[in-house]
Amino acid sequence: MDESAILRVGDNEYSLPILTGSEGEKALDISNLRKDTGLITYDNGFGNTGSCRSAITFIDGEKGILRYRGYDIDELAEHSSFVETAYLLLYGVLPTSEELRQFSRVLNESSLIHEDMHHFFTGFPRTAHPMGILSTMVASLAAFYPIPDEPTTEEEQYILGSLISQVRTIAAFSYKKSIGDPIVYPSIHCRFVENFMNMMFSSPVKEYRTDPDLLRAVEVFLILHADHEQNCSTSTVRMTGSSLANLYAVVSAGISALWGKRHGGANQAVIEMLQRIHQSGDDGRKFSEQAKSGKGSERLMGFGHRVYKNYDPRATVLKKICHRVLNKDGVSDPLFDIALRLEEAALSEDYFLKRNLYPNVDFYSGLILRAVGIPQDMFTVLFTIGRMPGWLARWREMHLEPGLRIARPRQIYTGENKRNYVPIKDR
Ligand code: SDX
């Protein structure tokens, strides 16, 4: 029997259907609320609002569960590759070896950008943040790669695969341009992550030899960042995509939303916070007192999450990788020691415990990228490369949705009531 809830408004009662997801989570269907009752709902930050139905990622914030298409994130981190995970998110199944070969071929063949786009890089000042360059360059892809109104299945796979591949190329090219080095083109002989690291760190006069452990650390970083339900940037992609805007413009909007330090920018903000603590000679305790006081803008970056009300399962995986990467060949990082102490303080102090402020995905990720040699202002760019398959899977899912409607929330108006115009001579 279908479940429902009763809403009583004055003398009237309204029945609201209750929807049940495949993991048993429940939702009030308010699709006809305003039409039937004249009321709207109010939900600051949308923490209690489901914006869509989706079959891509399941999160249980209370139990610290994260699954892509039903597969636990720690299994994918252990056994999968980023390209295989991207295929899984896009098409809902783990690929056969032939499907994976075909998808990898698309990523390889589409890894270049139009040569005329290289001129754009010289237009940016050396100090330009790579996230600003990335969102601009991705939007510019629309000028060079027109998307047919009704792409065939093959055309769509090529378009989506190209974006996953080109965003990596644009990221590496923007880094090379920022340090005045010649760009290094992608190679058909390298796997996805190795290609990126090669484009970032090799040069015509210096071969880049990658340590397999460091390559795997970056690969797992990308797998863990590949999707995360209806987070801020993914909701931006859905919102922008619902107007049927150009795909490159939609992804560029997602990149801009991810840039914020409360969201994807947190991995860079965590390292900047740890550096401030290190330079001040504090061991983290004084800083956490400031964060608790809520004075100024200091928050414990890398802590807290809207959904996870205990440990972020991605942080668990990344913490292990941190230990592995930082203990290699005696690589030590004083910031890691501060991070461990900060985590210990936060996990024992009432302020953080009662607000469920546990380490999130960004707390350890920056330390890993730093150990691998990725420059700090490229951390959120790596997050973008990782998140691309998730954004594209949702763009594809929403366009397959029957009856897709433009997203258009309402508001509670708090402005002036009606008043008449006053000519300037009488003001
Ligand atoms: C990501 O949504 C996703 O899925 C995102 C993400 C993904 O994969 O896409 O998981 C990636 O964005 C992870 C989050 C990275 N951001 C940070 O690490 C920045 C620091 N964290 C906070 O800004 C905050 O915790 C958020 C933004 C992550 C969550 O914010 P909420 O859920 O809106 O919580 P809130 O701002 O309402 O805070 C509730 C209380 C407040 O105190 P009180 O008003 O109750 O006294 O907790 C406090 C806040 O001041 N608080 C913090 C804090 N986070 C919240 N206090 C100190 N340090 C913090 N980090």
Side-chain angles (χ1 to χ4, degrees):
M1 187 203 86
D2 293 345
E3 278 188 275
S4 65
I6 299 298
L7 173 67
R8 190 170 298 112
V9 183
D11 300 335
N12 301 315
E13 281 196 358
Y14 303 91
S15 170
L16 295 175
I18 292 180
L19 307 175
T20 304
S22 45
E23 288 287 341
E25 74 283 19
K26 306 254 180 218
L28 270 181
D29 180 351
I30 57 167
S31 307
N32 295 315
L33 182 71
R34 191 167 184 278
K35 179 167 66 68
D36 295 348
T37 71
L39 295 172
I40 63 167
T41 58
Y42 176 68
D43 183 18
N44 179 24
F46 302 122
N48 304 285
T49 298
S51 60
C52 63
R53 288 179 165 89
S54 176
I56 297 174
T57 290
F58 173 69
I59 298 178
D60 182 322
E62 282 63 37
K63 296 183 189 140
I65 293 173
L66 170 57
R67 295 190 194 125
Y68 296 162
R69 301 284 192 178
Y71 296 95
D72 275 324
I73 194 67
D74 44 6
E75 274 206 289
L76 293 170
E78 181 69 28
H79 304 297
S80 188
S81 70
F82 176 62
V83 172
E84 181 181 76
T85 300
Y87 187 99
L88 170 68
L89 286 166
L90 282 169
Y91 303 109
V93 291
L94 287 171
T96 61
S97 48
E98 179 49 29
E99 287 164 337
L100 187 59
R101 196 194 58 74
Q102 163 65 10
F103 188 58
S104 302
R105 187 183 59 74
V106 167
L107 293 181
N108 260 325
E109 289 178 4
S110 62
S111 55
L112 293 171
I113 57 172
H114 196 291
E115 286 291 307
D116 289 353
M117 291 185 76
H118 292 218
H119 304 302
F120 295 3
F121 288 112
T122 46
F124 293 108
R126 287 284 165 89
T127 52
H129 194 288
M131 283 297 279
I133 297 174
L134 196 57
S135 64
T136 309
M137 293 297 283
V138 166
S140 308
L141 289 169
F144 292 87
Y145 301 94
I147 295 176
D149 287 341
E150 301 290 333
T152 63
T153 307
E154 290 70 28
E155 283 171 333
E156 185 200 70
Q157 183 179 75
Y158 198 84
I159 291 162
L160 300 182
S162 303
L163 249 172
I164 292 170
S165 192
Q166 287 174 320
V167 74
R168 169 196 54 174
T169 304
I170 293 168
F173 284 8
S174 62
Y175 170 62
K176 284 296 199 188
K177 286 290 177 182
S178 74
I179 58 173
D181 269 14
I183 58 171
V184 172
Y185 282 86
S187 158
I188 192 120
H189 305 298
C190 295
R191 290 165 49 95
F192 190 92
V193 174
E194 187 188 4
N195 228 334
F196 173 68
M197 299 298 277
N198 197 49
M199 287 192 273
M200 282 284 288
F201 298 118
S202 73
S203 90
V205 294
K206 184 187 79 178
E207 213 179 343
Y208 176 70
R209 280 260 162 269
T210 37
D211 173 326
D213 288 343
L214 300 188
L215 271 186
R216 185 63 194 163
V218 176
E219 181 119 46
V220 173
F221 171 96
L222 295 177
I223 291 170
L224 294 175
H225 286 76
D227 191 57
H228 209 243
E229 206 220 55
Q230 298 305 322
N231 60 83
C232 177
S233 53
T234 298
S235 297
T236 302
V237 164
R238 278 194 63 97
M239 174 76 82
T240 319
S242 74
S243 76
L244 305 185
N246 175 284
L247 172 61
Y248 298 114
V250 167
V251 169
S252 177
I255 294 171
S256 302
L258 189 67
W259 193 359
K261 71 175 184 175
R262 281 191 167 183
H263 191 13
N267 53 22
Q268 179 175 352
V270 166
I271 297 299
E272 288 163 356
M273 171 186 77
L274 295 174
Q275 282 168 331
R276 276 200 306 280
I277 294 171
H278 183 54
Q279 281 143 21
S280 71
D282 169 27
D283 65 0
R285 275 186 281 254
K286 199 161 106 248
F287 187 89
S288 71
E289 284 311 311
Q290 280 166 346
K292 285 190 291 186
S293 71
K295 290 200 184 72
S297 64
E298 289 305 3
R299 275 191 163 190
L300 269 183
M301 300 315 284
F303 280 80
H305 197 279
R306 173 64 58 76
V307 176
Y308 290 120
K309 293 313 168 195
N310 63 37
Y311 227 77
D312 180 335
R314 300 168 296 178
T316 310
V317 177
L318 288 171
K319 184 175 177 181
K320 282 188 211 136
I321 294 179
C322 239
H323 278 291
R324 197 182 315 147
V325 165
L326 287 175
N327 291 337
K328 263 184 83 58
D329 321 324
V331 172
S332 77
D333 183 348
L335 302 189
F336 183 48
D337 304 333
I338 294 174
L340 290 174
R341 276 202 298 279
L342 216 46
E343 179 189 27
E344 200 184 305
L347 296 184
S348 58
E349 297 184 14
D350 192 42
Y351 173 92
F352 300 105
L353 290 174
K354 74 178 186 191
R355 289 171 177 79
N356 300 307
L357 298 178
Y358 297 87
N360 58 44
V361 66
D362 293 296
F363 188 61
Y364 290 107
S365 58
L367 289 163
I368 292 169
L369 296 180
R370 187 175 141 92
V372 168
I374 302 286
Q376 220 153 289
D377 65 0
M378 291 283 290
F379 288 0
T380 312
V381 169
L382 269 287
F383 194 147
T384 306
I385 295 170
R387 188 53 51 91
M388 193 56 69
W391 287 339
L392 297 176
R394 288 163 187 292
W395 178 84
R396 182 170 184 272
E397 183 179 59
M398 69 190 280
H399 284 278
L400 291 172
E401 223 168 82
L404 172 69
R405 302 181 71 205
I406 190 167
R408 206 277 185 218
R410 303 304 304 267
Q411 62 170 20
I412 305 275
Y413 175 66
T414 57
E416 296 284 344
N417 298 115
K418 177 168 171 30
R419 51 186 175 163
N420 297 320
Y421 182 78
V422 178
I424 192 162
K425 65 182 177 53
D426 299 331
R427 288 177 206 157

